[in-house]
Coordinates of all heavy atoms in Angstrom, one line a residue:
M1 N -83.9 -28.9 -83.0 CA -83.5 -28.3 -84.3 C -83.6 -26.8 -84.1 O -84.6 -26.3 -83.7 CB -84.4 -28.8 -85.4 CG -84.1 -28.1 -86.7 SD -85.5 -28.3 -87.9 CE -86.7 -27.3 -87.1
R2 N -82.5 -26.1 -84.4 CA -82.5 -24.6 -84.3 C -82.7 -24.0 -85.7 O -82.0 -24.3 -86.6 CB -81.3 -24.1 -83.6 CG -81.4 -22.7 -83.0 CD -80.2 -22.4 -82.2 NE -80.2 -23.0 -80.8 CZ -80.9 -22.5 -79.8 NH1 -81.7 -21.5 -80.0 NH2 -80.9 -23.1 -78.6
K3 N -83.7 -23.1 -85.8 CA -83.9 -22.4 -87.0 C -84.1 -21.0 -86.7 O -85.0 -20.6 -86.0 CB -85.2 -23.0 -87.7 CG -85.3 -22.7 -89.1 CD -86.5 -23.5 -89.7 CE -87.2 -22.8 -90.8 NZ -88.4 -23.4 -91.2
A4 N -83.3 -20.1 -87.3 CA -83.3 -18.7 -87.0 C -83.4 -18.4 -85.5 O -84.1 -17.5 -85.1 CB -84.5 -18.1 -87.7
G5 N -82.5 -19.1 -84.8 CA -82.4 -18.8 -83.3 C -83.5 -19.5 -82.5 O -83.5 -19.5 -81.3
I6 N -84.5 -20.0 -83.1 CA -85.6 -20.6 -82.4 C -85.4 -22.2 -82.4 O -85.1 -22.8 -83.4 CB -87.0 -20.3 -83.1 CG1 -87.2 -18.8 -83.1 CG2 -88.1 -21.0 -82.3 CD1 -88.4 -18.3 -83.9
L7 N -85.6 -22.7 -81.2 CA -85.4 -24.1 -81.0 C -86.7 -24.9 -81.1 O -87.7 -24.6 -80.4 CB -84.7 -24.4 -79.7 CG -84.2 -25.7 -79.4 CD1 -83.0 -26.0 -80.2 CD2 -83.8 -25.9 -77.9
Y8 N -86.8 -25.9 -82.0 CA -88.0 -26.7 -82.2 C -87.7 -28.1 -81.8 O -86.6 -28.6 -82.0 CB -88.4 -26.6 -83.7 CG -88.8 -25.3 -84.2 CD1 -87.9 -24.5 -84.8 CD2 -90.1 -24.8 -84.0 CE1 -88.3 -23.2 -85.3 CE2 -90.5 -23.6 -84.4 CZ -89.6 -22.8 -85.1 OH -90.0 -21.5 -85.5
C9 N -88.7 -28.8 -81.4 CA -88.6 -30.3 -81.2 C -88.6 -31.0 -82.5 O -89.5 -30.7 -83.4 CB -89.8 -30.7 -80.3 SG -89.9 -32.5 -80.2
N10 N -87.6 -31.8 -82.8 CA -87.5 -32.5 -84.0 C -88.7 -33.5 -84.2 O -89.0 -33.9 -85.3 CB -86.2 -33.3 -84.1 CG -85.1 -32.4 -84.5 OD1 -84.6 -31.6 -83.8 ND2 -84.6 -32.6 -85.7
C11 N -89.2 -34.0 -83.1 CA -90.3 -35.0 -83.2 C -91.6 -34.4 -83.5 O -92.3 -34.8 -84.4 CB -90.2 -35.8 -81.9 SG -91.3 -37.2 -81.9
C12 N -92.1 -33.5 -82.7 CA -93.5 -32.9 -82.9 C -93.5 -31.6 -83.6 O -94.5 -31.1 -84.0 CB -94.2 -32.9 -81.6 SG -93.6 -31.7 -80.4
G13 N -92.3 -30.9 -83.6 CA -92.2 -29.6 -84.3 C -92.6 -28.4 -83.5 O -92.6 -27.3 -83.9
K14 N -92.9 -28.7 -82.2 CA -93.3 -27.5 -81.4 C -92.1 -26.7 -80.9 O -91.0 -27.2 -80.9 CB -94.2 -27.9 -80.2 CG -93.4 -28.4 -79.0 CD -94.3 -28.5 -77.8 CE -93.4 -28.9 -76.6 NZ -94.2 -29.1 -75.4
M15 N -92.3 -25.4 -80.6 CA -91.2 -24.5 -80.2 C -90.8 -24.9 -78.8 O -91.6 -25.0 -77.9 CB -91.7 -23.1 -80.3 CG -90.6 -22.1 -80.1 SD -91.3 -20.4 -79.8 CE -92.1 -20.1 -81.3
I16 N -89.5 -25.0 -78.6 CA -89.0 -25.3 -77.2 C -88.5 -24.0 -76.6 O -88.7 -23.7 -75.5 CB -87.9 -26.4 -77.3 CG1 -88.4 -27.7 -77.8 CG2 -87.2 -26.5 -75.9 CD1 -87.3 -28.8 -78.0
S17 N -87.8 -23.2 -77.4 CA -87.2 -22.0 -76.9 C -87.1 -20.9 -78.0 O -86.8 -21.2 -79.1 CB -85.8 -22.3 -76.4 OG -85.0 -21.2 -76.4
E18 N -87.4 -19.7 -77.6 CA -87.4 -18.6 -78.6 C -86.0 -18.1 -78.8 O -85.8 -17.5 -79.9 CB -88.4 -17.5 -78.2 CG -89.8 -17.9 -78.3 CD -90.7 -16.9 -77.7 OE1 -90.7 -15.7 -78.2 OE2 -91.4 -17.2 -76.8
S19 N -85.2 -18.2 -77.8 CA -83.8 -17.8 -78.0 C -82.9 -18.5 -77.0 O -83.5 -19.2 -76.1 CB -83.6 -16.3 -77.8 OG -83.8 -15.9 -76.5
C20 N -81.6 -18.4 -77.1 CA -80.7 -19.1 -76.3 C -80.9 -18.8 -74.8 O -80.8 -19.7 -74.0 CB -79.3 -18.8 -76.7 SG -78.9 -19.2 -78.4
D21 N -81.2 -17.6 -74.5 CA -81.3 -17.2 -73.1 C -82.7 -17.2 -72.6 O -83.0 -16.8 -71.4 CB -80.6 -15.8 -72.8 CG -80.8 -14.9 -74.0 OD1 -81.9 -14.2 -74.0 OD2 -80.0 -14.8 -74.8
A22 N -83.7 -17.6 -73.4 CA -85.1 -17.6 -72.9 C -85.6 -19.0 -73.1 O -86.6 -19.2 -73.8 CB -85.9 -16.6 -73.6
Q23 N -85.0 -19.9 -72.4 CA -85.4 -21.3 -72.6 C -86.7 -21.5 -71.8 O -86.9 -21.2 -70.7 CB -84.3 -22.2 -72.0 CG -84.5 -23.7 -72.3 CD -83.3 -24.5 -71.9 OE1 -82.2 -24.2 -72.2 NE2 -83.6 -25.6 -71.2
R24 N -87.7 -22.1 -72.5 CA -89.0 -22.2 -71.9 C -89.2 -23.5 -71.2 O -89.9 -23.6 -70.2 CB -90.1 -22.2 -73.0 CG -90.3 -20.8 -73.6 CD -90.8 -20.8 -75.0 NE -92.0 -21.6 -75.2 CZ -93.2 -21.1 -75.6 NH1 -93.2 -19.8 -75.9 NH2 -94.2 -21.8 -75.7
E25 N -88.5 -24.5 -71.6 CA -88.6 -25.8 -71.0 C -87.3 -26.6 -71.2 O -86.6 -26.4 -72.2 CB -89.8 -26.6 -71.4 CG -89.9 -26.9 -72.9 CD -91.1 -27.7 -73.3 OE1 -91.0 -28.9 -73.2 OE2 -92.1 -27.1 -73.6
D26 N -87.2 -27.7 -70.4 CA -86.0 -28.5 -70.6 C -86.3 -29.5 -71.8 O -87.4 -29.7 -72.1 CB -85.7 -29.3 -69.3 CG -84.3 -29.6 -69.1 OD1 -83.5 -29.3 -70.0 OD2 -83.9 -30.2 -68.1
F27 N -85.2 -29.9 -72.4 CA -85.4 -30.8 -73.6 C -84.2 -31.7 -73.7 O -83.2 -31.5 -73.0 CB -85.5 -29.9 -74.9 CG -84.3 -29.1 -75.1 CD1 -83.3 -29.5 -76.0 CD2 -84.2 -27.8 -74.5 CE1 -82.2 -28.7 -76.2 CE2 -83.0 -27.0 -74.7 CZ -82.1 -27.4 -75.6
F28 N -84.3 -32.7 -74.5 CA -83.2 -33.7 -74.7 C -82.5 -33.3 -76.0 O -83.1 -33.2 -77.1 CB -83.9 -35.1 -74.8 CG -82.9 -36.2 -75.2 CD1 -81.9 -36.5 -74.3 CD2 -83.1 -36.9 -76.3 CE1 -81.0 -37.6 -74.6 CE2 -82.2 -37.9 -76.7 CZ -81.2 -38.3 -75.8
H29 N -81.2 -33.2 -75.9 CA -80.4 -32.9 -77.1 C -79.4 -34.1 -77.4 O -78.8 -34.5 -76.4 CB -79.6 -31.6 -76.9 CG -78.7 -31.3 -78.1 ND1 -79.1 -30.8 -79.3 CD2 -77.4 -31.5 -78.2 CE1 -78.1 -30.7 -80.1 NE2 -77.0 -31.1 -79.5
F30 N -79.4 -34.5 -78.6 CA -78.3 -35.5 -78.9 C -77.6 -35.2 -80.1 O -78.1 -34.6 -81.0 CB -78.9 -37.0 -78.8 CG -79.7 -37.3 -80.1 CD1 -79.1 -37.8 -81.2 CD2 -81.1 -37.3 -80.0 CE1 -79.8 -38.2 -82.3 CE2 -81.8 -37.7 -81.1 CZ -81.2 -38.1 -82.3
E31 N -76.3 -35.6 -80.1 CA -75.5 -35.5 -81.3 C -74.7 -36.8 -81.4 O -74.2 -37.3 -80.5 CB -74.4 -34.4 -81.0 CG -74.8 -33.0 -81.6 CD -73.7 -32.0 -81.3 OE1 -72.7 -32.1 -82.0 OE2 -74.0 -31.2 -80.4
K32 N -74.8 -37.3 -82.6 CA -74.1 -38.6 -82.8 C -73.3 -38.6 -84.1 O -73.8 -38.3 -85.2 CB -75.1 -39.7 -82.9 CG -74.6 -41.1 -83.3 CD -73.7 -41.7 -82.2 CE -73.1 -43.0 -82.7 NZ -71.9 -43.4 -82.0
T33 N -72.0 -38.9 -84.0 CA -71.2 -39.0 -85.2 C -71.0 -40.5 -85.4 O -70.5 -41.2 -84.5 CB -69.8 -38.3 -85.0 OG1 -70.1 -37.0 -84.7 CG2 -69.0 -38.4 -86.2
W34 N -71.5 -41.0 -86.5 CA -71.4 -42.5 -86.7 C -70.0 -42.9 -87.2 O -69.4 -42.2 -88.0 CB -72.5 -42.9 -87.8 CG -73.8 -42.6 -87.2 CD1 -74.6 -41.5 -87.5 CD2 -74.6 -43.5 -86.4 NE1 -75.8 -41.7 -86.8 CE2 -75.8 -42.9 -86.1 CE3 -74.4 -44.7 -85.8 CZ2 -76.8 -43.4 -85.3 CZ3 -75.3 -45.3 -85.0 CH2 -76.6 -44.7 -84.8
G35 N -69.6 -44.0 -86.7 CA -68.3 -44.5 -87.0 C -68.2 -45.7 -87.9 O -69.2 -46.0 -88.6
Y36 N -67.1 -46.3 -88.0 CA -66.8 -47.3 -88.9 C -67.7 -48.5 -89.0 O -68.1 -49.0 -90.0 CB -65.3 -47.8 -88.7 CG -64.8 -48.8 -89.7 CD1 -64.5 -48.4 -91.0 CD2 -64.7 -50.1 -89.3 CE1 -64.1 -49.3 -91.9 CE2 -64.3 -51.1 -90.2 CZ -64.0 -50.7 -91.5 OH -63.5 -51.6 -92.4
F37 N -68.2 -48.8 -87.8 CA -69.1 -50.0 -87.7 C -70.5 -49.7 -88.0 O -71.4 -50.6 -87.8 CB -69.0 -50.7 -86.3 CG -67.6 -51.2 -86.1 CD1 -66.7 -50.5 -85.2 CD2 -67.1 -52.3 -86.7 CE1 -65.4 -51.0 -85.0 CE2 -65.8 -52.8 -86.5 CZ -65.0 -52.1 -85.6
S38 N -70.8 -48.6 -88.5 CA -72.2 -48.2 -88.9 C -72.3 -48.0 -90.4 O -71.3 -47.6 -91.1 CB -72.5 -46.9 -88.2 OG -73.7 -46.4 -88.7
K39 N -73.5 -48.2 -90.9 CA -73.7 -47.9 -92.3 C -73.7 -46.4 -92.5 O -73.7 -45.9 -93.7 CB -75.1 -48.5 -92.7 CG -75.1 -50.0 -92.8 CD -76.5 -50.5 -93.5 CE -76.7 -51.9 -93.3 NZ -77.7 -52.2 -92.3
K40 N -73.9 -45.7 -91.4 CA -73.9 -44.2 -91.5 C -72.5 -43.6 -91.4 O -72.4 -42.5 -91.1 CB -74.8 -43.7 -90.4 CG -76.3 -44.0 -90.6 CD -77.0 -43.7 -89.2 CE -78.4 -44.0 -89.2 NZ -79.2 -42.9 -89.7
D41 N -71.5 -44.5 -91.4 CA -70.1 -44.0 -91.2 C -69.8 -42.7 -91.9 O -70.1 -42.5 -93.1 CB -69.2 -45.1 -91.8 CG -67.7 -44.8 -91.5 OD1 -67.5 -43.9 -90.6 OD2 -66.8 -45.3 -92.2
G42 N -69.3 -41.8 -91.2 CA -68.9 -40.5 -91.7 C -70.0 -39.4 -91.7 O -69.8 -38.3 -92.1
T43 N -71.1 -39.8 -91.1 CA -72.2 -38.8 -91.0 C -72.4 -38.4 -89.5 O -72.1 -39.2 -88.6 CB -73.5 -39.2 -91.6 OG1 -74.0 -40.4 -90.9 CG2 -73.4 -39.5 -93.1
S44 N -72.9 -37.3 -89.3 CA -73.3 -36.8 -87.9 C -74.8 -36.5 -87.9 O -75.3 -35.9 -88.9 CB -72.5 -35.5 -87.6 OG -71.2 -35.9 -87.2
E45 N -75.4 -36.8 -86.8 CA -76.8 -36.5 -86.7 C -77.0 -35.8 -85.3 O -76.4 -36.1 -84.3 CB -77.7 -37.7 -86.7 CG -77.8 -38.4 -88.0 CD -78.5 -39.7 -88.0 OE1 -78.2 -40.5 -87.2 OE2 -79.3 -39.9 -89.0
S46 N -77.9 -34.8 -85.3 CA -78.2 -34.2 -84.0 C -79.7 -33.8 -84.0 O -80.3 -33.6 -85.1 CB -77.4 -32.9 -83.8 OG -77.7 -31.9 -84.7
A47 N -80.3 -33.8 -82.9 CA -81.7 -33.5 -82.8 C -82.0 -33.0 -81.4 O -81.3 -33.2 -80.4 CB -82.5 -34.7 -83.1
D48 N -83.1 -32.3 -81.3 CA -83.6 -31.8 -80.0 C -85.0 -32.3 -79.8 O -85.8 -32.2 -80.7 CB -83.6 -30.2 -80.0 CG -82.2 -29.7 -80.2 OD1 -81.4 -29.9 -79.3 OD2 -82.0 -29.1 -81.2
I49 N -85.3 -33.0 -78.7 CA -86.5 -33.6 -78.5 C -87.2 -33.1 -77.2 O -86.5 -33.0 -76.2 CB -86.3 -35.2 -78.3 CG1 -85.5 -35.8 -79.4 CG2 -87.7 -35.9 -78.2 CD1 -86.1 -35.8 -80.8
C50 N -88.4 -32.6 -77.3 CA -89.1 -32.1 -76.1 C -89.4 -33.2 -75.1 O -89.4 -34.4 -75.4 CB -90.3 -31.3 -76.5 SG -91.8 -32.3 -76.9
E51 N -89.6 -32.8 -73.9 CA -89.8 -33.7 -72.8 C -91.0 -34.7 -73.0 O -90.8 -35.9 -72.8 CB -90.0 -33.0 -71.5 CG -89.8 -33.9 -70.3 CD -90.0 -33.1 -68.9 OE1 -90.1 -31.9 -68.9 OE2 -89.9 -33.8 -67.9
S52 N -92.1 -34.2 -73.6 CA -93.2 -35.1 -73.8 C -93.0 -36.1 -74.9 O -93.4 -37.3 -74.8 CB -94.5 -34.3 -74.0 OG -94.4 -33.5 -75.1
C53 N -92.3 -35.7 -75.9 CA -91.9 -36.6 -77.0 C -90.9 -37.7 -76.5 O -91.0 -38.9 -76.8 CB -91.3 -35.9 -78.2 SG -92.5 -35.0 -79.1
L54 N -90.0 -37.3 -75.6 CA -89.0 -38.2 -75.1 C -89.7 -39.2 -74.2 O -89.5 -40.4 -74.3 CB -88.0 -37.4 -74.3 CG -86.8 -38.3 -73.7 CD1 -86.0 -38.8 -74.8 CD2 -86.0 -37.5 -72.7
E55 N -90.7 -38.8 -73.4 CA -91.4 -39.7 -72.5 C -92.1 -40.7 -73.4 O -92.1 -41.9 -73.0 CB -92.5 -38.9 -71.7 CG -91.9 -38.0 -70.7 CD -91.6 -38.7 -69.4 OE1 -92.5 -39.4 -68.9 OE2 -90.5 -38.5 -68.8
Q56 N -92.8 -40.3 -74.4 CA -93.5 -41.2 -75.3 C -92.6 -42.2 -76.0 O -92.9 -43.3 -76.1 CB -94.2 -40.3 -76.4 CG -95.7 -40.2 -76.1 CD -96.4 -39.6 -77.4 OE1 -95.8 -38.8 -78.1 NE2 -97.6 -40.1 -77.6
W57 N -91.4 -41.6 -76.4 CA -90.4 -42.5 -77.1 C -90.0 -43.6 -76.1 O -89.9 -44.7 -76.5 CB -89.3 -41.6 -77.6 CG -88.2 -42.3 -78.3 CD1 -88.3 -43.4 -79.1 CD2 -86.8 -41.9 -78.3 NE1 -87.1 -43.7 -79.6 CE2 -86.1 -42.8 -79.1 CE3 -86.1 -40.8 -77.7 CZ2 -84.8 -42.7 -79.4 CZ3 -84.7 -40.7 -77.9 CH2 -84.1 -41.6 -78.8
M58 N -89.7 -43.2 -74.9 CA -89.1 -44.1 -73.9 C -90.1 -45.2 -73.6 O -89.7 -46.3 -73.1 CB -88.6 -43.4 -72.7 CG -87.4 -42.5 -73.0 SD -86.5 -41.9 -71.5 CE -87.8 -41.0 -70.7
T59 N -91.4 -45.0 -73.7 CA -92.4 -46.0 -73.4 C -92.3 -47.2 -74.4 O -92.8 -48.3 -74.1 CB -93.9 -45.5 -73.5 OG1 -94.1 -45.0 -74.8 CG2 -94.1 -44.4 -72.5
Q60 N -91.6 -47.0 -75.5 CA -91.4 -48.1 -76.5 C -90.2 -48.9 -76.2 O -89.9 -49.9 -76.8 CB -91.3 -47.5 -77.9 CG -92.5 -46.8 -78.4 CD -92.2 -45.9 -79.6 OE1 -91.4 -46.2 -80.4 NE2 -93.0 -44.8 -79.7
F61 N -89.3 -48.4 -75.2 CA -88.1 -49.2 -74.9 C -88.5 -50.5 -74.2 O -89.4 -50.5 -73.4 CB -87.3 -48.4 -73.9 CG -86.6 -47.2 -74.5 CD1 -86.9 -46.7 -75.8 CD2 -85.6 -46.5 -73.8 CE1 -86.3 -45.6 -76.3 CE2 -84.9 -45.4 -74.3 CZ -85.3 -44.9 -75.6
Q62 N -87.8 -51.6 -74.5 CA -88.0 -52.8 -73.8 C -87.5 -52.8 -72.4 O -88.0 -53.3 -71.5 CB -87.3 -54.0 -74.6 CG -87.9 -54.3 -75.9 CD -89.4 -54.6 -75.9 OE1 -89.8 -55.5 -75.1 NE2 -90.2 -54.0 -76.8
I63 N -86.4 -52.1 -72.3 CA -85.8 -51.8 -71.0 C -85.8 -50.3 -70.7 O -85.2 -49.6 -71.4 CB -84.3 -52.4 -70.9 CG1 -84.3 -53.9 -71.2 CG2 -83.6 -52.1 -69.6 CD1 -82.9 -54.5 -71.6
P64 N -86.5 -49.9 -69.7 CA -86.6 -48.5 -69.5 C -85.2 -47.8 -69.1 O -84.4 -48.5 -68.4 CB -87.6 -48.3 -68.4 CG -87.7 -49.7 -67.7 CD -87.3 -50.7 -68.7
P65 N -85.0 -46.6 -69.4 CA -83.8 -45.9 -69.0 C -83.7 -45.8 -67.5 O -84.7 -45.8 -66.8 CB -83.9 -44.5 -69.6 CG -85.0 -44.5 -70.5 CD -85.9 -45.7 -70.1
Q66 N -82.5 -45.8 -67.0 CA -82.2 -45.7 -65.6 C -82.6 -44.3 -65.1 O -82.3 -43.3 -65.8 CB -80.7 -45.8 -65.3 CG -80.4 -47.2 -64.8 CD -79.0 -47.3 -64.3 OE1 -78.1 -46.7 -64.9 NE2 -78.8 -48.0 -63.2
T67 N -83.3 -44.2 -64.0 CA -83.7 -42.9 -63.4 C -83.0 -42.8 -62.1 O -83.1 -43.7 -61.3 CB -85.2 -42.9 -63.2 OG1 -85.9 -43.1 -64.5 CG2 -85.6 -41.5 -62.7
V68 N -82.3 -41.7 -62.0 CA -81.6 -41.4 -60.7 C -82.1 -40.1 -60.2 O -82.1 -39.1 -60.9 CB -80.0 -41.4 -61.0 CG1 -79.3 -41.0 -59.7 CG2 -79.5 -42.6 -61.6
E69 N -82.5 -40.2 -59.0 CA -83.0 -38.9 -58.4 C -81.8 -38.1 -57.9 O -81.0 -38.6 -57.1 CB -84.0 -39.2 -57.3 CG -85.1 -38.2 -57.2 CD -86.4 -38.7 -56.6 OE1 -87.0 -39.6 -57.2 OE2 -86.7 -38.3 -55.5
R70 N -81.8 -36.9 -58.3 CA -80.6 -36.1 -57.9 C -81.0 -35.3 -56.7 O -82.1 -34.7 -56.6 CB -80.2 -35.2 -59.0 CG -79.4 -35.9 -60.1 CD -79.3 -35.1 -61.3 NE -78.7 -33.8 -61.0 CZ -78.5 -32.8 -62.0 NH1 -78.8 -33.1 -63.2 NH2 -78.0 -31.7 -61.6
T71 N -80.1 -35.3 -55.7 CA -80.4 -34.5 -54.5 C -79.9 -33.1 -54.6 O -80.4 -32.2 -54.0 CB -79.7 -35.2 -53.3 OG1 -78.4 -35.5 -53.6 CG2 -80.4 -36.5 -52.9
E72 N -79.0 -32.9 -55.5 CA -78.5 -31.5 -55.7 C -78.9 -31.1 -57.1 O -78.7 -31.8 -58.1 CB -76.9 -31.5 -55.6 CG -76.4 -31.4 -54.2 CD -74.9 -31.5 -54.2 OE1 -74.3 -30.4 -54.4 OE2 -74.3 -32.6 -54.1
I73 N -79.4 -29.9 -57.2 CA -79.7 -29.3 -58.5 C -78.7 -28.2 -58.8 O -78.5 -27.3 -58.0 CB -81.1 -28.7 -58.5 CG1 -82.2 -29.8 -58.1 CG2 -81.5 -28.2 -59.9 CD1 -82.5 -30.9 -59.1
F74 N -78.0 -28.4 -59.9 CA -77.0 -27.4 -60.3 C -77.7 -26.3 -61.2 O -78.2 -26.7 -62.2 CB -75.8 -28.0 -61.0 CG -75.1 -29.0 -60.1 CD1 -75.3 -30.3 -60.2 CD2 -74.2 -28.5 -59.2 CE1 -74.6 -31.2 -59.4 CE2 -73.5 -29.4 -58.4 CZ -73.7 -30.7 -58.4
E75 N -77.6 -25.1 -60.8 CA -78.1 -24.0 -61.6 C -77.0 -23.4 -62.4 O -75.9 -23.3 -61.8 CB -78.8 -22.9 -60.7 CG -79.9 -23.4 -59.8 CD -81.2 -23.4 -60.5 OE1 -81.4 -22.7 -61.5 OE2 -82.2 -24.0 -59.9
C76 N -77.2 -23.1 -63.6 CA -76.1 -22.5 -64.4 C -76.5 -21.0 -64.8 O -77.6 -20.6 -64.6 CB -75.7 -23.3 -65.6 SG -77.1 -23.5 -66.7
Ligands
ZN1 ZN1 -91.9 -32.8 -79.1

C-alpha cells in the first residue's frame, strides 16, 4: 500500500520503501480485478506484502508454492 510515496506492507503495516527509487527490500505485489464468476465482480484489489508476511502466509498453504532457483539474476 503506497501512502504519500511511502510503501507499507498491507499485512503488518511496516514500511517497505521510503520512495520509488530507494527500495529497502523486495516485496510481493498483487493486483486482482475480479470477474463475472466472483461475488466481487467489478472490483479491483491490490496489496503489497513484505517478504516475512508472505513467508508466514505461505506456511498456511496446503500445497506450497513452486520454488524455482534462478541461475540468472536480472538487474534493472
Ligand atoms: Zn509485512
Side-chain angles (χ1 to χ4, degrees):
M1 176 198 66
R2 200 172 281 282
K3 196 172 151 193
I6 300 169
L7 192 68
Y8 296 95
C9 171
N10 277 71
C11 188
C12 67
K14 85 167 182 185
M15 189 196 293
I16 296 171
S17 154
E18 286 172 64
S19 70
C20 303
D21 39 82
Q23 193 173 307
R24 287 152 59 116
E25 60 179 273
D26 210 354
F27 60 97
F28 174 65
H29 174 80
F30 74 84
E31 264 180 75
K32 171 67 184 162
T33 302
W34 295 96
Y36 183 73
F37 296 105
S38 166
K39 289 188 194 110
K40 294 166 182 275
D41 184 20
T43 61
S44 280
E45 288 174 318
S46 69
D48 300 293
I49 310 290
C50 76
E51 194 177 356
S52 60
C53 288
L54 183 67
E55 291 276 313
Q56 256 192 324
W57 181 31
M58 290 193 302
T59 60
Q60 296 166 32
F61 289 12
Q62 296 300 313
I63 301 164
Q66 262 191 319
T67 305
V68 179
E69 216 156 292
R70 285 168 51 183
T71 47
E72 279 177 84
I73 306 287
F74 296 98
E75 302 271 348
C76 58

